[in-house]
Each structure stands twice: as C-alpha cells, then as structure tokens.
Amino acid sequence: MKLRLFAGVSALVVTAGLSACSSSSDASDGSTAIDVWLMRDSVSDQFQKDFVKSFEAAHPDIDVKVQIQEWDGIGEKVTAALASSDAPDVIETGNTQVAQFAQSGGLLDLSDKVGELGGEDWLKGLAEPGAFEGKQYGIPYYAANRVVIYRTDLFEKAGVDPAAIKTRDQWIAATKKLNTGGTQGIYLPGQNWYTLAGFVWDEGGDLATESGGKWKGSLDTPEAVRGMEFYKKLQALGRGPKDSDEANPPQADVMAKGKVAQVVSSPGGANTVVENNPALKDKLGFFPIPGRTADVPGAVFTGGSDLVIPTASTKQDAAYTFVKELTGDTWQKKLAVAMSYVPNKTTLSDAVASDPGASAMAVGAAEGHATPNTPGWAAVEAKNPIKDYLTAVLTGGDARKEAAKASEAITTAMNSGT
C-alpha cells in the first residue's frame, strides 16, 4: 500500500536522546499515562492483559492505555498521527512499514539503545527493515514466516520421511512420490511471490538492489532467474492455479478437501484446515522450507511487527520502558508460547521447542529476509509486477525476458516518488 508521506517534522527531534524527552504526569498520583497502539489479533486479549498488569505492577508510575487498531488503513492513520501534536507514545507497525514512517522524520532514533536491548541477537528479518539510513527506529517485536504444512498420513502412505527432507532436491523427489492418483504433491498457487522470494534469496539474488540512491529491480539476474526456475518445477507438482495467489481460493480451504499433501504457509494455516475439516486433526505436521544444501534451511520472508516511538510523544522515557520490557527476553518467551510466534532473538528459539509449527518457523527464521528496505517498495506491492511475472512464466513465457519486464516495472515503481 502506498502511503502519503509527510514532511515538516524537525530532524533535530529525531536525533534527540531519550534523556531530553519529557515524561509529563497525567494523574493526581503523579503517574504518567502512555497511549499504546497495538494491532488487532497480533496478540490475544489474555496476553495483553497479563503483560499490562505485570508492567504496571513493576512500574507503578506508568499507566498504560492500549488502543487496538485495525490493519486496514493503518498506514494512513499512523502517518496522520505522526504528523499531529497528539501522537500515541508507542505504535506497533508492520516490519516493512518502518522505513516509510522513518523517512518523514516522525520516529525516534533508538540506535543508541540497540546494545542494551540485545540487538546483536535480533532476527535480521525484523531488525533490518526496522532501520533506515543507518539508524534503528523499529525494535523487533515478534516474527512469523512460512513453513511446509504436510499431511502426515499421506507422507506415511507414500513412504516419505519428512525428517529426511533437508534439501530442495530431496523436496522435489518427495513431492513427486506424493503427486499420485488424485493427490496433489503440493498445492502452490502461481502468484505466491513471497515463496518465490525465498528461492531467489537462496540463489544469492534479490528482488531489487540499490546503487547511488536509486533502486533497480533485479529479478533478471541469473541468480534470481534460477529461483524462478525452481519455483516453476515445484509448482508443476500440483494443480495450483497459475494466475492467482494463496488467498484466491484460500489454500487452507483447498487443503481441507483432503487431496493435498503439502502447502507453504505460516503454521496458523493448519488451524484453518482443521476448522474446515475436523477429520484432519492430528494429521498435519510441519517442517522448515528446505534449502539448497542440507546445512542451511531455505530462505524465508520474515513477517511480523516492530515497535516504534513517535518523535511527537512527550513521554518517550516511559514509552521506551514499555518497549524495552515487551521486547525483553522474559515476555518474548511468554509471547512465543502464547501465540506460536518466533521470538525476536535467535537466542530464544528454545522457547518454542515444544510447538511443532513454531519450532519449524524458528529454524527458517534464522535465514529470514525482508523486502527491500525503502519507502518506495510500497509502490511495488500496490501494483505487484512480481505476480504478473510469475503467471507469465508459468504459462509458457521465457523466464529471462519476463524477468526483464518485471525488473523494469519494479525500477519504475520504486523510483516514482524520487
């Protein structure tokens, strides 16, 4: 979604240290009230209540007021809030949105806090998009990424051991064995571009690269084209549509019909499958997307959220205290268990060891990536020439020629506002 960015916020404020921020009191008892925007369904009501209760007990001088926001239209709402004189004190934002908000000067630079927050262990797929032009604005909150959800009974019937699938070649061989009779070895829609991105990254390619302040689409590099070629090979081992994505039709609905051995999804997709077909309860398993070699799992797009503090907040000390505690080890472990998320640090992956889906995610998260870290990427996703590229190749187009067209479209979109 392309956001309407604004100007006029003092750059001086962005670089100001937290010690210079005011923390005004809002109650007769001398406590400071902070307004926190969290996103709908990012955490459960119970987790939110437990955290706020514990936080306020530990910090009786801070009163937390949480407002739940809807994802639809949140970009414009945050942009307007950052430009106002009445911004919230803490905002949860999608990790790939931070650059858009930071470009305006509306976010507090937290670079000097990275060390005490344990930033050396952050998942790079959350930390990198949380930075902009060398400064850290977004503090990693939680992560989620794609894994392979598979039918345990169909794997057993085909004599396939999921634990033995460590490489992409082994994945292809196993999927061919599963692709028999009326069963699809894998249901992979043609326009699942996040999955394509992982294969491109595996090969050493990227969606776009930056040079001299200008971005250029790079799907036409030899590395990226090899990623496309693998996607085509895998997609052919099922009957996924070539001209739509995983939401059209919802792939969990397709898997629930009982004739699909695998899908690529976040683990939460398994819950939807079972809701649609209770007979599949206890018949679904998870494994990380395989990599080119057995020693490195497949690259994945790391989705999730960061926490940011607006420069317009007059209570940044209290806001930082809130961010520090919610993103600290104690509550990250609790969040991972409660929500089956990947914690924000690689050192905390053991917290989800007993959760099959989350532990599979955690393995992949170590090779997590984000989309190009620039405000211009929003224009790419708005039109998404990558989806058109996938369909063109899967329906017979030359991969190199179609990649060149897509790269040109990406280049135009990313630089349209510069």
Side-chain angles (χ1 to χ4, degrees):
M1 177 171 54
K2 188 173 182 178
L3 306 180
R4 296 188 294 274
L5 301 173
F6 62 91
V9 179
S10 171
L12 179 62
V13 178
V14 179
T15 57
L18 288 174
S19 61
C21 304
S22 63
S23 292
S24 59
S25 297
D26 298 300
S28 58
D29 62 359
S31 64
T32 297
I34 59 171
D35 291 318
V36 177
W37 284 8
L38 297 180
M39 299 308 301
R40 173 77 63 193
D41 296 330
S42 284
V43 300
S44 65
D45 290 342
Q46 189 60 53
F47 177 87
Q48 176 190 309
K49 291 175 182 177
D50 289 346
F51 174 77
V52 171
K53 181 179 179 180
S54 174
F55 179 84
E56 291 183 336
H59 305 278
D61 57 329
I62 302 176
D63 179 27
V64 178
K65 298 180 179 179
V66 175
Q67 297 181 43
I68 300 301
Q69 305 296 321
E70 304 295 336
W71 284 106
D72 187 32
I74 190 60
E76 287 88 347
K77 187 170 184 178
V78 171
T79 297
L82 295 179
S84 74
S85 59
D86 188 31
D89 303 293
V90 178
I91 300 175
E92 174 191 346
T93 181
N95 59 324
T96 61
Q97 295 177 312
V98 176
Q100 297 167 310
F101 303 140
Q103 184 188 51
S104 69
L107 301 183
L108 185 71
D109 176 10
L110 296 169
S111 301
D112 63 339
K113 301 298 181 182
V114 171
E116 69 180 59
L117 294 174
E120 68 275 6
D121 296 319
W122 283 340
L123 297 176
K124 64 180 182 179
L126 290 180
E128 290 179 357
F132 181 66
E133 295 184 343
K135 297 178 180 179
Q136 193 73 38
Y137 298 98
I139 304 304
Y141 180 18
Y142 65 83
N145 51 261
R146 286 161 177 76
V147 300
V148 180
I149 302 176
Y150 72 96
R151 283 277 301 276
T152 57
D153 55 334
L154 295 180
F155 268 58
E156 183 177 357
K157 181 179 180 180
V160 175
D161 178 6
I165 303 175
K166 301 297 184 183
T167 69
R168 294 195 327 204
D169 287 344
Q170 292 169 343
W171 193 18
I172 289 290
T175 304
K176 286 181 177 178
K177 290 185 67 175
L178 292 157
N179 192 30
T180 59
T183 298
Q184 299 183 57
I186 189 168
Y187 178 82
L188 181 61
Q191 294 184 345
N192 192 332
W193 70 276
Y194 281 125
T195 298
L196 169 68
F199 301 152
V200 169
W201 291 322
D202 276 342
E203 296 289 347
D206 211 333
L207 305 176
T209 56
E210 187 268 340
S211 178
K214 292 289 184 179
W215 284 85
K216 181 179 183 298
S218 55
L219 286 175
D220 54 343
T221 64
E223 295 84 1
V225 170
R226 288 199 298 270
M228 178 67 240
E229 289 170 346
F230 179 78
Y231 188 101
K232 183 177 182 180
K233 183 187 298 185
L234 184 65
Q235 201 271 340
L237 298 176
R239 297 189 293 276
K242 294 177 171 57
D243 59 353
S244 63
D245 60 22
E246 61 272 28
N248 298 290
Q251 65 178 5
D253 293 355
V254 177
M255 192 176 198
K257 294 178 181 178
K259 297 296 184 179
V260 171
Q262 305 171 87
V263 294
V264 178
S265 170
S266 62
N271 296 330
T272 305
V273 173
V274 173
E275 287 174 4
N276 290 336
N277 184 355
L280 295 182
K281 184 180 180 181
D282 300 325
K283 292 183 179 180
L284 299 177
F286 312 87
F287 60 85
I289 294 174
R292 294 179 64 217
T293 60
D295 57 324
V296 180
V300 292
F301 167 74
T302 301
S305 289
D306 284 10
L307 298 177
V308 299
I309 300 174
T311 57
S313 167
T314 60
K315 306 162 189 177
Q316 291 169 354
D317 284 330
Y320 174 71
T321 300
F322 178 93
V323 170
K324 182 179 180 181
E325 191 144 332
L326 185 51
T327 61
D329 290 5
T330 297
W331 283 96
Q332 279 294 300
K333 291 177 182 179
K334 292 180 180 180
L335 178 63
V337 172
M339 301 300 297
S340 294
Y341 285 150
V342 179
N344 63 3
K345 296 177 184 175
T346 57
T347 51
L348 301 178
S349 59
D350 286 350
V352 293
S354 62
D355 185 319
S359 58
M361 274 200 303
V363 172
E367 294 299 317
H369 293 250
T371 51
N373 189 16
T374 170
W377 186 253
V380 177
E381 291 201 24
K383 296 183 178 180
N384 213 325
I386 306 174
K387 288 187 173 184
D388 296 335
Y389 163 54
L390 278 157
T391 296
V393 175
L394 295 177
T395 55
D398 180 84
R400 289 168 178 79
K401 291 181 180 179
E402 297 299 336
K405 294 178 185 177
S407 294
E408 183 178 353
I410 290 172
T411 300
T412 299
M414 293 188 82
N415 295 292
S416 60
T418 61

